[in-house]
């Protein structure tokens, strides 16, 4: 399962609407054979859209390792066709198999519910144990209540 967060874009190029200097961007997500052209994320007349969208996709690695996120300008050509503003491609296999792990670090608190719920497939203690083992550091021991590392 892959979760894609698309928050915002800034200073989008507008080659097809030089006079207006705006665009009508929406998101397009592609993972393997699946393509989501999310016109519900369409933002009218802006170069700084705030999408604030989350997409959950299923894939098998190594079969479909490339995730593509594109921003499309809605009906921007004279023929009324959508035009690509920009895109990025992420190799999920490289990210998943990286020694740095696909995370930004451990949070200070482990939440089991709410908007900041822990979403990694490993618990923080498992990540710490794996890190210690990989770096020949003695494994931590935990207090009997399980809240502190000693």
């Amino acid at each position: 399962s892959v979760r894609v967060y698309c928050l915002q874009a800034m200073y989008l190029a507008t080659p097809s609407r030089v006079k207006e200097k705006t665009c009508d961007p929406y998101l397009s997500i592609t993972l393997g054979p699946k393509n989501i052209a999310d016109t519900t994320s369409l933002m009218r007349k802006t170069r700084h859209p705030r999408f604030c969208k989350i997409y959950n996709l299923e894939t098998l690695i190594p079969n479909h390792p490339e995730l593509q996120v594109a921003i499309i300008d809605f009906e921007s050509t004279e023929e009324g066709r959508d035009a690509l503003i920009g895109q990025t491609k992420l190799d999920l296999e490289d990210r998943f198999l990286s020694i740095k792990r696909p995370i930004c670090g451990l949070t200070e608190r482990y939440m089991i519910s709410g908007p900041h719920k822990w979403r990694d497939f490993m618990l923080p203690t498992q990540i710490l144990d794996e890190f210690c083992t990989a770096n020949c550091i003695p494994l931590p021991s935990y207090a009997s209540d399980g809240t502190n590392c000693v």
Side-chain angles (χ1 to χ4, degrees):
S1 180
V2 176
R3 181 170 288 140
V4 180
Y5 294 87
C6 296
L7 302 179
Q8 70 180 24
M10 297 170 57
Y11 303 103
L12 294 177
T14 59
S16 61
R17 297 184 183 185
V18 177
K19 291 179 184 175
E20 293 181 37
K21 296 189 179 183
T22 64
C23 55
D24 299 329
Y26 69 90
L27 296 166
S28 176
I29 313 290
T30 304
L31 182 59
K34 299 172 190 164
N35 183 17
I36 301 170
D38 187 7
T39 54
T40 63
S41 66
L42 177 68
M43 308 291 263
R44 295 281 183 183
K45 300 201 182 290
T46 182
R47 291 182 55 218
H48 313 286
R50 292 183 56 104
F51 296 112
C52 301
K53 299 286 264 183
I54 300 173
Y55 302 93
N56 290 306
L57 304 162
E58 297 295 324
T59 190
L60 292 174
I61 294 176
N63 295 347
H64 305 293
E66 188 174 87
L67 170 69
Q68 178 179 306
V69 179
I71 299 180
I72 312 291
D73 192 0
F74 184 72
E75 296 181 349
S76 64
T77 65
E78 291 179 12
E79 298 84 27
R81 294 191 190 125
D82 298 353
L84 177 68
I85 296 174
Q87 66 183 1
T88 188
K89 296 178 182 179
L90 303 166
D91 187 333
L92 298 178
E93 186 175 27
D94 279 352
R95 185 171 171 81
F96 183 72
L97 298 175
S98 166
I99 61 169
K100 304 242 188 246
R101 292 189 31 86
I103 59 170
C104 296
L106 294 176
T107 58
E108 224 174 278
R109 295 188 178 184
Y110 170 70
M111 306 288 203
I112 58 173
S113 63
H116 304 293
K117 177 181 166 185
W118 185 262
R119 290 183 170 87
D120 198 290
F121 66 95
M122 293 175 69
L123 296 174
T125 53
Q126 293 171 314
I127 294 170
L128 183 58
D129 288 350
E130 185 181 88
F131 176 81
C132 290
T133 303
N135 291 288
C136 300
I137 299 170
L139 292 176
S141 57
Y142 299 96
S144 58
D145 62 2
T147 59
N148 294 320
C149 178
V150 264

